[in-house]
Amino acid sequence: MPGKSFIGELRQEAATTRRLLERVPEDKLRWKPHPKSMSLGELAMHVAMLPRGIIDLVSTLEVDIPDVPRTEAVAVDELLMTLGNSVELAASRLAQWSDDDLAATWTMLNDGKPVLSIPRMAVLRSLLFNHWYHHRGQLTVYLRLLDVPLPPVYGPTADVETLG
């Protein structure tokens, strides 16, 4: 059942995401690597909110292109609480969906016109997981630029020699 494997992946990746968010320096939340970039606090909050945001987005089978808020975190505790709540809501919703629910066609609209129609399961893979990993990767670059030691993600980093 795809939903159960999604829940397992969500929880495993949430633990990695949590380790990264724990390293975010509170005194640098407004820092940006470039004027066109999100601030560290905006990016970290986006990473924390993404599971819930995507699950909310795909809960309805037809949606207009959303306006994604850029909320800036004010504290690491806020990021960790947001991530926890976001993951729990996403896991709960995933657990409720049958194989048929996951296979149902999901459509994104722009001014009422379809721009994308694919199975909900494909949206989850693309927007929930791949999109989440993309922004989490950005977060590792921000932390590296701030000289913050990186925890293991998929293996040891230059800062941590072992996974233990």
Side-chain angles (χ1 to χ4, degrees):
M1 180 171 187
K4 287 189 181 194
S5 68
F6 281 160
I7 294 169
E9 183 175 350
L10 176 71
R11 292 195 184 287
Q12 177 181 325
E13 297 298 332
T16 299
T17 302
R18 181 178 183 82
R19 286 194 303 272
L20 282 170
L21 292 176
E22 287 171 342
R23 305 268 177 125
V24 170
E26 280 189 1
D27 65 335
K28 301 288 185 191
L29 289 171
R30 301 193 103 187
W31 178 83
K32 293 181 175 190
H34 186 275
K36 293 181 181 179
S37 299
M38 285 188 268
S39 71
L40 174 60
E42 288 171 329
L43 177 59
M45 184 58 85
H46 185 64
V47 167
M49 294 173 68
L50 215 144
R52 179 188 184 134
I54 299 304
I55 286 293
D56 285 346
L57 182 71
V58 302
S59 288
T60 303
L61 291 177
E62 280 195 0
V63 297
D64 283 314
I65 295 174
D67 182 23
V68 179
R70 283 198 174 183
T71 306
E72 189 170 71
V74 296
V76 171
D77 285 346
E78 176 188 19
L79 291 169
L80 299 176
M81 183 182 303
T82 299
L83 176 67
N85 292 339
S86 181
V87 168
E88 287 311 309
L89 183 124
S92 172
R93 201 89 40 90
L94 284 168
Q96 295 171 11
W97 286 336
S98 68
D99 287 351
D100 287 343
D101 292 328
L102 291 168
T105 300
W106 178 87
T107 301
M108 182 172 283
L109 307 167
N110 186 13
D111 290 329
K113 295 178 185 149
V115 292
L116 178 67
S117 289
I118 59 175
R120 180 184 271 149
M121 184 180 334
V123 179
L124 290 169
R125 170 56 50 212
S126 179
L127 292 182
L128 173 57
F129 293 109
N130 296 347
H131 183 77
W132 197 24
Y133 306 151
H134 159 75
H135 284 300
R136 192 174 69 190
Q138 284 182 307
L139 183 58
T140 66
V141 172
Y142 277 42
L143 294 175
R144 175 63 75 215
L145 290 172
L146 290 169
D147 204 27
V148 174
L150 298 177
V153 176
Y154 294 117
T157 67
D159 304 306
V160 179
E161 293 185 18
T162 66
L163 292 176

